[in-house]
Amino acid sequence: MTNNVADHHPGNSVAEGNHEGDFGCSVVELRNLMELRSAEAVARLNDSYGGVQNVCKRLKTSPVEGLSGNPTDLEKRRQVFGQNFIPPKKAKTFLQLVWEALQDVTLIILEIAAIISLGLSFYHPPGGDNELCGQSTGGVEDEGESQAGWIEGAAILFSVIIVVLVTAFNDWSKEKQFRGLQSRIEQEQKFTVIRKGQVIQIPVAEIVVGDIAQIKYGDLLPADGILIQGNDLKIDESSLTGESDQVKKSLDKDPMLLSGTHVMEGSGRMVVTAVGINSQTGIIFTLLGAGEGDEEKKVKKGKKTGAPENRNKAKTQDGVALEIQPLKSQEGVENEEKEKKKVKVPKKEKSVLQGKLTRLAVQIGKAGLIMSAITVIILVLYFVIDTFGVQGRPWLAECTPIYIQYFVKFFIIGVTVLVVAVPEGLPLAVTISLAYSVKKMMKDNNLVRHLDACETMGNATAICSDKTGTLTMNRMTVVQAYVGDTHYRQIPDPEAILPKILDLIVNGVAINSAYTSKILPPEKEGGLPRQVGNKTECALLGFVLDLKQDYQAVRNEVPEEKLYKVYTFNSVRKSMSTVLKNGNGGFRMYSKGASEIILRKCTRILDKNGDPRVFKVKDRDEMVKKVIEPMACHGLRTICLAFRDFPADAEPDWDSENEILSDLTCIAVVGIEDPVRPEVPDAILKCQRAGITVRMVTGDNINTARAIATKCGILLPGEDFLCLEGKEFNRLIRNEKGEVEQEQLDKIWPKLRVLARSSPTDKHTLVKGIIDSTVGDQRQVVAVTGDGTNDGPALKKADVGFAMGIAGTDVAKEASDIILTDDNFTSIVKAVMWGRNVYDSISKFLQFQLTVNVVAVIVAFTGACITQDSPLKAVQMLWVNLIMDTFASLALATEPPSESLLLRKPYGRNKPLISRTMMKNILGHAVYQLTIIFTLLFAGEKFFDIDSGRNAPLHSPPTEHYTIVFNTFVMMQLFNEINARKIHGERNVFESIYRNPIFCTVVLGTFAAQIIIVEFGGKPFSCSGLTLSQWFWCIFIGVGELLWGQLICTVPTSHLKFLKEAGHGITKEEIPEEELPEDVDEIDHAEMELRRGQILWFRGLNRIQTQMDVVYTFQTGASSLQGALRRQPSIVSQHHDVKNVSSPTHVALSSVNSTPTTSAVAAAAASPPAGNQSGECVP
């Protein structure tokens, strides 16, 4: 923005301060003008501006010639009135993405454990070796261990950093891809304007205020403007107002044209008055927060600029933002918090999987905590009893440091157990799996905007799809015709039709249609010809071309100027007529329209010789039965072509429409179809096999909808289903007050397959009803497709919203989770396949990971308790943990999907992540591994005939015995990784293993690395080299895993009722009533647990304060009133506190006024899961 310095050359004085000096009106005035509608607007236009011509004068533009197109002038207009482009949301910086990735509960637990472990590893207490203190339980750690102590913590932190960077990088590259796509779409849009008297097409972004734009049927208006001249202009403003009725625009009634609205009929010219963020769509986008940062900047800049009036202007310019903020009452603050939450927190409870994973991680973390606590307690008790009880030593002051050192060592062992218990590979596995899927889904025409939508799709149980363009091709074509008493089931041969009838058809179509409708050659070789303009007229023009005739020649002969009178098509007439003057002074009128309307006005029909014969009412009824109804039942729209000749003697009264449109002669009736995409029926069959119900929600009439639904296979013969119209649907589900009743809806939706003549609200109601419904054995997960701006709410409400990449509006894309770049239903099926694959990959990983964890924890625990020293050293644990985790997550998370995924039913929201079968596998393999390890640990030295590694003296070199234990452990994990590839109890674990090169690479790579560690790892890894026979034994025991896996498969899961499942989704019942806010879906349930903890904490504080007050009152003997008064602020402050920490994602934002330390404390308080969940202590 320029400052307040006006250049004195009149040509380019761009004074920011006072627009009036330059142009006759300012941005704000124009913006206020554009907010008015109909009569109000006309009045204001005439009073304040003296009509539209004067607005043009003030904007220094000519209504006929347009702008001069002089670059400096255009630049000046951009400076004053803004550019015609709505700034996209500011992209998140890489650091912001990193910060978001750090919010993961599992990662937070890991970070804390790692930091504690790091801190303790550097703690070397003083105090010499005092004989009296005793060397009760072997030495403190040997040197290698104490030196390597820090490796443990560092390695965990390192793994956390990797996870976070990978996550952030994925988000970042996804965002970038998406922006690339957006800008590509934006650059392709062009619009027709008049400059220097020439009609030219310019990119939408280059339109400036003062441009004269030509508008015609089918345009999406790119900017706000005022009508200068219009013919029969009707606009669909539903995208802004939600009103489905078309609005008539005319100079004297309602000349206001708004951006983002569609021209439904007619044509005209307008002068552009507002562009970009000042246009109506721009204002809405700004409210949605797209232009958020931008507006703020404006306010700041506005405030800095000089003149005081300017300041006001900046404020009003940001008026939008000011208007919507509630006053800063308590309620206002709360609202604001809510708003912030809505804006800042990404879609939270969106992802079913992440909810389950977070809960599982918390459960595992709790289990690990308990195990590690028990370990520490046992070690401490053992030490204390052994030292002071059994050996009867006194506690000496100078020995305290040494005892402390022991306790610290025990604590470290405890932390090791905890670290092993927490699956740090989990977040990584999820991230890798999702990122890999998203990349591959791009190839399948799915542009994923929200990562979690990808796996939610795998759980989908219902899809509500649009008809036009998604299930059908959105290319109208004539497929049947009734000409000359003959019903042709396909397009007739031109030879079969008499030349004079053919001539009538060609003229009737070519002349009596908007000249903007045309058929252009295909863009690509071998593609379909492009249809431009009205799709129905294009179908008729295509029919003419199929009859080997040329409509363009006719149009060239009769240009638009020669048309004597045109009755344009509209929703009331449902017909269009064009009158031509003949050479002999008579007139001929061609009509076309919906067959039921035109046929009523026909009194004659052409017979097979092309001569008119009388057409009576009973003939008409017969025709309806024989021709029209059969066509409609095939999903065709029927259009009738007719004509009428007027004699030359007297000119008829063209205004009495009913007189004119009567006594017609029917030429032909054609059936137009919007063909079903050839691949759709197959895709829908796949969905039904996969347990997904497909419902069609369309604005079309119910016969056509039913026919198309049958063609697609949504309606199957012999099935008990419902097809409803929107009106009927609303009547059934609403009570007298017009509110939606869930139990009424529950009776309808399970059987509903087609909802015809439906409004966007109906769609939203249906989606919301299905999602909130609790009938059936599992809650529904709903996917919705949409393309129009009005589909926004339904897309946002759905678990997964699909927007159309080609036909979709920007608003629809903004509200969606996945964009179908080819607008095709089959891509949705691909998305389901990928989603299920993600889910399975993570389950596979979990199955593998938890086996490792269970075994490692038990080994560490028992080892520590029996031998006071873990048989697997910290660094070895880490190798097992980190490498197995990270690599296994790579290997198992990148399995490509197979068609077989679509043969099972969806899991649904409440299905646990770890099924009984998986639990059986985990425990079964754990039993095998533990048996082997403990056998080796306590009897291995006899078997291999080597020195025992147990109770080795301090600082002794690593033993072969313990090396064999470690090596066997790793080998068993390697072969178990192959077992983990199947989670539904399949026998063939090697099936299509070659399709996943990453898996093979990882397994072989880990094997190679293990050889290097064992043979050359030496002191740091506590390994000593093994002989060949020892190696073979290790590998042999490992291969035993595969055989054992086959054995486990034979045990039927159904007999193992005692096995628990883990990682359930949340059921509604589990959330206490008072915690269900209006928008339950905004809050992650793990966060709810955190929140519950904080609220208890604050309640506790408040109780103590109250009690202190009571005591205080009694002591001072003052009136109890004072105490009550003193207590008041604390309650208020507690409210604020609760608010400040309510959601860890934006702690820093809400506690602006607190000092940095408190917000850090708050963040720390928010991060670990709150212990007291049941709240026993709170009455």
Side-chain angles (χ1 to χ4, degrees):
M1 299 218 165
T2 35
N3 279 342
N4 231 358
V5 190
D7 260 331
H8 289 296
H9 311 294
N12 43 354
S13 60
V14 192
E16 243 289 281
N18 197 349
H19 302 315
E20 284 81 350
D22 254 346
F23 294 102
C25 28
S26 68
V27 180
V28 185
E29 287 168 3
L30 285 176
R31 191 148 122 180
N32 293 342
L33 177 66
M34 291 318 291
E35 279 167 6
L36 303 174
R37 301 278 173 277
S38 50
E40 255 187 295
V42 179
R44 167 76 66 90
L45 251 183
N46 295 332
D47 302 348
S48 313
Y49 296 90
V52 96
Q53 301 293 338
N54 278 340
V55 174
C56 292
K57 271 208 193 93
R58 288 192 182 196
L59 290 174
K60 305 193 175 160
T61 176
S62 143
V64 187
E65 298 271 306
L67 293 174
S68 63
N70 166 3
T72 45
D73 175 49
L74 294 179
E75 188 45 47
K76 185 161 93 183
R77 287 170 191 276
R78 281 196 198 103
Q79 298 251 318
V80 176
F81 298 110
Q83 294 183 332
N84 191 22
F85 114 105
I86 293 170
K89 282 203 183 82
K90 257 226 294 299
K92 289 199 170 105
T93 58
F94 189 67
L95 284 175
Q96 277 172 311
L97 291 169
V98 167
W99 175 244
E100 270 175 29
L102 275 171
Q103 306 294 327
D104 190 53
V105 180
T106 333
L107 289 182
I108 292 172
I109 296 175
L110 274 173
E111 286 155 20
I112 293 171
I115 290 165
I116 292 175
S117 154
L118 259 181
L120 291 178
S121 68
F122 293 123
Y123 171 67
H124 295 299
D129 287 338
N130 192 322
E131 267 312 299
L132 291 171
C133 306
Q135 291 302 97
S136 57
T137 40
V140 186
E141 308 173 342
D142 58 62
E143 253 149 50
E145 277 282 270
S146 66
Q147 250 107 66
W150 62 271
I151 294 181
E152 170 88 20
I156 302 166
L157 281 181
F158 180 66
S159 75
V160 169
I161 289 170
I162 286 178
V163 173
V164 168
L165 289 180
V166 169
T167 316
F169 180 72
N170 277 325
D171 287 347
W172 181 75
S173 59
K174 191 178 79 228
E175 184 95 348
K176 205 167 120 204
Q177 243 174 5
F178 181 65
R179 287 189 187 278
L181 185 98
Q182 273 305 85
S183 59
R184 208 174 67 226
I185 294 171
E186 275 162 16
Q187 277 149 19
E188 283 166 6
Q189 282 177 309
K190 288 216 163 35
F191 206 76
T192 318
V193 297
I194 302 176
R195 285 192 182 166
K196 271 200 272 193
Q198 299 288 314
V199 177
I200 55 167
Q201 292 241 325
I202 60 169
V204 165
E206 288 181 15
I207 294 176
V208 295
V209 171
D211 256 323
I212 305 297
Q214 276 200 339
I215 51 178
K216 58 179 187 313
Y217 171 86
D219 282 342
L220 172 66
L221 298 183
D224 291 356
I226 302 174
L227 193 62
I228 300 177
Q229 167 264 320
N231 334 329
D232 208 1
L233 195 61
K234 294 238 175 77
I235 306 266
D236 170 17
E237 295 191 345
S238 59
S239 59
L240 283 178
T241 58
E243 293 291 330
S244 52
D245 297 343
Q246 294 170 8
V247 186
K248 251 195 155 123
K249 297 288 180 184
S250 60
L251 285 168
D252 46 353
K253 295 269 169 40
D254 183 1
M256 296 308 191
L257 301 171
L258 307 174
S259 58
T261 58
H262 284 88
V263 183
M264 298 315 271
E265 319 176 11
S267 58
R269 293 204 313 273
M270 69 170 191
V271 56
V272 176
T273 54
V275 292
I277 49 174
N278 297 315
S279 67
Q280 294 301 308
T281 310
I283 291 171
I284 291 179
F285 258 98
T286 312
L287 293 189
L288 284 175
E292 213 175 48
D294 226 71
E295 289 280 304
E296 280 163 26
K297 256 188 247 155
K298 250 201 199 121
V299 179
K300 282 185 196 132
K301 278 194 180 148
K303 294 218 169 103
K304 275 181 207 146
T305 31
E309 56 169 351
N310 213 23
R311 246 176 248 167
N312 285 350
K313 201 159 284 165
K315 265 193 198 138
T316 33
Q317 178 148 31
D318 199 47
V320 213
L322 298 179
E323 276 162 41
I324 50 167
Q325 286 179 355
L327 295 173
K328 284 274 190 289
S329 58
Q330 186 57 35
E331 184 187 43
V333 175
E334 271 170 30
N335 280 354
E336 218 178 353
E337 284 289 327
K338 257 192 210 147
E339 282 293 304
K340 259 191 198 155
K341 214 163 285 156
K342 273 194 190 134
V343 179
K344 294 285 188 288
V345 182
K347 293 194 173 178
K348 258 303 169 32
E349 239 287 289
K350 245 331 205 200
S351 165
V352 182
L353 179 70
Q354 268 162 347
K356 290 180 184 179
L357 278 177
T358 311
R359 297 191 55 164
L360 189 69
V362 170
Q363 284 169 351
I364 295 175
K366 283 179 186 166
L369 256 172
I370 293 168
M371 286 294 275
S372 58
I374 294 175
T375 315
V376 173
I377 291 168
I378 289 181
L379 285 172
V380 169
L381 284 178
Y382 185 100
F383 173 77
V384 170
I385 292 169
D386 189 58
T387 310
F388 303 125
V390 182
Q391 299 179 23
R393 294 172 186 271
W395 180 298
L396 297 171
E398 65 265 24
C399 291
T400 310
I402 291 176
Y403 294 147
I404 286 177
Q405 197 174 352
Y406 275 118
F407 293 146
V408 168
K409 177 192 169 185
F410 298 148
F411 186 74
I412 288 184
I413 291 178
V415 172
T416 310
V417 173
L418 172 65
V419 169
V420 173
V422 178
E424 61 265 36
L426 205 55
L428 187 67
V430 179
T431 310
I432 290 177
S433 181
L434 286 174
Y436 172 76
S437 304
V438 168
K439 256 202 177 51
K440 291 271 188 262
M441 280 168 83
M442 268 306 274
K443 292 197 179 76
D444 284 339
N445 302 312
N446 282 306
L447 175 76
V448 181
R449 295 186 58 223
H450 299 127
L451 264 185
D452 43 21
C454 164
E455 45 74 21
T456 312
M457 207 44 222
N459 285 323
T461 55
I463 297 175
C464 296
S465 172
D466 273 355
K467 177 179 79 73
T468 313
T470 314
L471 299 174
T472 61
M473 297 167 87
N474 201 11
R475 286 187 64 86
M476 304 283 185
T477 37
V478 172
V479 287
Q480 294 189 16
Y482 179 85
V483 185
D485 288 349
T486 325
H487 188 170
Y488 297 96
R489 301 282 163 170
Q490 49 258 4
I491 298 215
D493 186 40
E495 309 296 310
I497 300 177
L498 290 175
K500 58 178 176 184
I501 301 187
L502 196 55
D503 204 38
L504 279 170
I505 291 177
V506 176
N507 282 332
V509 170
I511 296 170
N512 185 26
S513 61
Y515 279 32
T516 48
S517 301
K518 349 184 219 299
I519 291 188
L520 302 179
E523 280 173 341
K524 295 193 193 80
E525 278 297 307
L528 291 165
R530 282 183 297 158
Q531 297 185 337
V532 181
N534 181 326
K535 292 279 193 268
T536 313
E537 292 184 340
C538 288
L540 293 167
L541 293 171
F543 178 55
V544 170
L545 295 177
D546 288 338
L547 293 174
K548 310 278 182 288
Q549 305 294 317
D550 180 16
Y551 69 87
Q552 198 53 51
V554 178
R555 284 185 174 177
N556 296 343
E557 242 170 75
V558 187
E560 262 180 294
E561 290 78 65
K562 283 201 183 162
L563 304 181
Y564 191 79
K565 169 88 183 144
V566 180
Y567 299 95
T568 56
F569 178 87
N570 66 31
S571 43
V572 183
R573 280 189 201 128
K574 286 212 174 3
S575 68
M576 171 175 180
S577 308
T578 304
V579 183
L580 291 177
K581 195 163 188 175
N582 298 339
N584 62 2
F587 299 95
R588 166 168 284 183
M589 176 178 76
Y590 291 108
S591 294
K592 69 167 195 291
S595 54
E596 61 267 26
I597 303 225
I598 297 280
L599 281 177
R600 272 195 222 122
K601 310 198 167 159
C602 287
T603 49
R604 289 188 277 301
I605 185 166
L606 297 179
D607 62 11
K608 53 177 172 292
N609 304 322
D611 302 323
R613 67 174 160 80
V614 178
F615 186 63
K616 295 205 184 67
V617 174
K618 70 169 199 302
D619 300 332
R620 186 174 79 223
D621 293 342
E622 192 181 353
M623 183 157 170
V624 167
K625 263 204 196 66
K626 293 267 172 65
V627 179
I628 289 169
E629 279 181 0
M631 282 187 183
C633 289
H634 282 120
L636 307 184
R637 288 172 57 187
T638 50
I639 300 281
C640 177
L641 301 173
F643 76 100
R644 176 182 178 183
D645 284 324
F646 296 95
D649 46 4
E651 185 167 335
D653 171 17
W654 298 116
D655 287 340
S656 61
E657 228 177 276
N658 293 341
E659 303 282 300
I660 304 285
L661 264 187
S662 60
D663 202 18
L664 303 176
T665 308
C666 170
I667 308 170
V669 173
V670 292
I672 296 183
E673 120 175 295
D674 184 2
V676 171
R677 287 174 180 260
E679 62 281 8
V680 162
D682 197 35
I684 286 183
L685 187 69
K686 276 185 194 159
C687 281
Q688 287 161 342
R689 244 189 273 143
I692 299 169
T693 316
V694 183
R695 293 182 174 82
M696 183 162 103
V697 184
T698 173
D700 234 328
N701 78 31
I702 196 148
N703 283 331
T704 311
R706 193 186 272 122
I708 299 254
T710 315
K711 277 188 191 160
C712 296
I714 292 176
L715 299 177
L716 300 171
E719 239 194 25
D720 177 23
F721 55 74
L722 281 175
C723 292
L724 292 178
E725 290 205 336
K727 280 195 189 119
E728 179 67 2
F729 172 69
N730 276 313
R731 199 180 58 69
L732 289 170
I733 61 164
R734 293 177 188 274
N735 58 16
E736 304 79 66
K737 293 183 195 152
E739 295 157 348
V740 178
E741 299 224 330
Q742 186 68 43
E743 47 278 12
Q744 302 293 58
L745 229 172
D746 287 345
K747 288 181 196 150
I748 292 175
W749 71 255
K751 285 186 180 170
L752 183 69
R753 289 293 175 276
V754 174
L755 186 56
R757 288 274 177 242
S758 67
S759 67
T761 340
D762 295 341
K763 193 176 190 175
H764 183 254
T765 310
L766 179 68
V767 172
K768 185 175 185 310
I770 297 180
I771 290 179
D772 294 346
S773 173
T774 45
V775 294
D777 45 354
Q778 56 174 350
R779 282 183 53 210
Q780 299 277 317
V781 177
V782 185
V784 170
T785 68
D787 50 7
T789 309
N790 43 19
D791 291 330
L795 287 171
K796 253 204 161 32
K797 178 68 198 160
D799 294 286
V800 182
F802 287 92
M804 301 296 143
I806 304 168
T809 59
D810 293 349
V811 179
K813 287 178 190 163
E814 192 63 31
S816 68
D817 300 297
I818 297 181
I819 293 177
L820 297 178
T821 48
D822 62 346
D823 286 14
N824 193 336
F825 189 83
T826 32
S827 307
I828 298 179
V829 182
K830 295 257 179 57
V832 171
M833 202 158 81
W834 275 107
R836 294 188 169 190
N837 191 51
V838 167
Y839 207 90
D840 279 10
S841 299
I842 287 161
S843 291
K844 287 171 192 172
F845 173 73
L846 268 175
Q847 177 175 304
F848 171 71
Q849 169 78 49
L850 291 181
T851 316
V852 182
N853 281 1
V854 169
V855 175
V857 167
I858 294 179
V859 169
F861 174 69
T862 43
C865 295
I866 297 172
T867 62
Q868 256 73 52
D869 185 20
S870 173
L872 295 175
K873 298 289 182 287
V875 185
Q876 293 175 352
M877 266 312 197
L878 222 103
W879 158 246
V880 169
N881 221 0
L882 187 71
I883 306 299
M884 294 305 227
D885 273 10
T886 319
F887 282 0
S889 57
L890 248 181
L892 290 169
T894 51
E895 290 270 322
S898 62
E899 284 282 332
S900 60
L901 286 169
L902 292 175
L903 297 176
R904 61 169 175 75
K905 298 273 173 275
Y907 286 145
R909 281 176 201 264
N910 307 339
K911 168 96 170 41
L913 268 178
I914 299 172
S915 60
R916 277 222 172 84
T917 314
M918 287 168 61
M919 206 46 126
K920 178 183 76 176
N921 291 344
I922 291 172
L923 296 178
H925 288 295
V927 168
Y928 175 83
Q929 296 186 8
L930 286 170
T931 317
I932 297 280
I933 283 183
F934 283 131
T935 313
L936 284 178
L937 189 59
F938 295 111
E941 71 271 24
K942 299 188 187 62
F943 179 78
F944 283 110
D945 192 31
I946 45 176
D947 296 331
S948 162
R950 294 192 307 285
N951 302 330
L954 262 186
H955 310 315
S956 58
T959 57
E960 280 182 357
H961 180 190
Y962 271 18
T963 307
I964 289 176
V965 174
F966 167 58
N967 199 20
T968 312
F969 182 64
V970 173
M971 286 304 132
M972 289 194 293
Q973 300 321 327
L974 265 186
F975 286 99
N976 194 26
E977 195 165 337
I978 298 173
N979 275 333
R981 289 185 70 240
K982 299 289 171 212
I983 52 175
H984 297 299
E986 300 94 327
R987 284 199 171 276
N988 180 7
V989 290
F990 289 103
E991 185 191 356
S992 64
I993 195 167
Y994 55 86
R995 273 183 63 209
N996 189 355
I998 301 183
F999 185 86
C1000 306
T1001 323
V1002 166
V1003 172
L1004 297 172
T1006 316
F1007 187 68
Q1010 180 63 18
I1011 296 178
I1012 294 168
I1013 285 179
V1014 170
E1015 295 304 314
F1016 309 109
K1019 193 79 184 248
F1021 280 96
S1022 318
C1023 288
S1024 83
L1026 300 178
T1027 64
L1028 204 58
S1029 72
Q1030 287 166 341
W1031 264 104
F1032 276 126
W1033 270 110
C1034 292
I1035 293 173
F1036 170 70
I1037 294 172
V1039 175
E1041 268 288 352
L1042 293 175
L1043 306 171
W1044 183 256
Q1046 293 303 315
L1047 197 74
I1048 292 180
C1049 274
T1050 28
V1051 182
T1053 312
S1054 49
H1055 289 207
L1056 305 171
K1057 287 273 184 276
F1058 60 88
L1059 284 183
K1060 282 289 241 232
E1061 300 156 321
H1064 284 271
I1066 284 247
T1067 50
K1068 281 262 180 174
E1069 291 75 64
E1070 283 180 49
I1071 309 165
E1073 274 307 299
E1074 76 273 5
E1075 297 243 316
L1076 275 178
E1078 303 93 83
D1079 38 12
V1080 171
D1081 44 336
E1082 300 285 345
I1083 299 176
D1084 183 331
H1085 289 300
E1087 236 177 73
M1088 265 205 183
E1089 282 190 21
L1090 303 189
R1091 237 174 255 191
R1092 227 174 277 168
Q1094 288 151 12
I1095 291 169
L1096 293 182
W1097 164 239
F1098 288 120
R1099 269 194 215 152
L1101 272 182
N1102 205 32
R1103 289 266 150 82
I1104 296 172
Q1105 269 177 326
T1106 313
Q1107 283 160 356
M1108 281 167 63
D1109 281 343
V1110 173
V1111 174
Y1112 169 78
T1113 314
F1114 275 116
Q1115 279 171 349
T1116 53
S1119 69
S1120 53
L1121 184 70
Q1122 245 177 331
L1125 288 176
R1126 275 187 68 244
R1127 197 162 65 248
Q1128 218 45 49
S1130 70
I1131 293 172
V1132 176
S1133 70
Q1134 165 214 348
H1135 267 292
H1136 280 288
D1137 286 357
V1138 170
K1139 219 168 258 134
N1140 280 357
V1141 217
S1142 63
S1143 136
T1145 16
H1146 56 250
V1147 170
L1149 286 177
S1150 34
S1151 43
V1152 181
N1153 46 6
S1154 57
T1155 53
T1157 44
T1158 52
S1159 74
V1161 173
S1167 35
N1172 189 335
Q1173 195 185 325
S1174 49
E1176 299 96 354
C1177 66
V1178 181

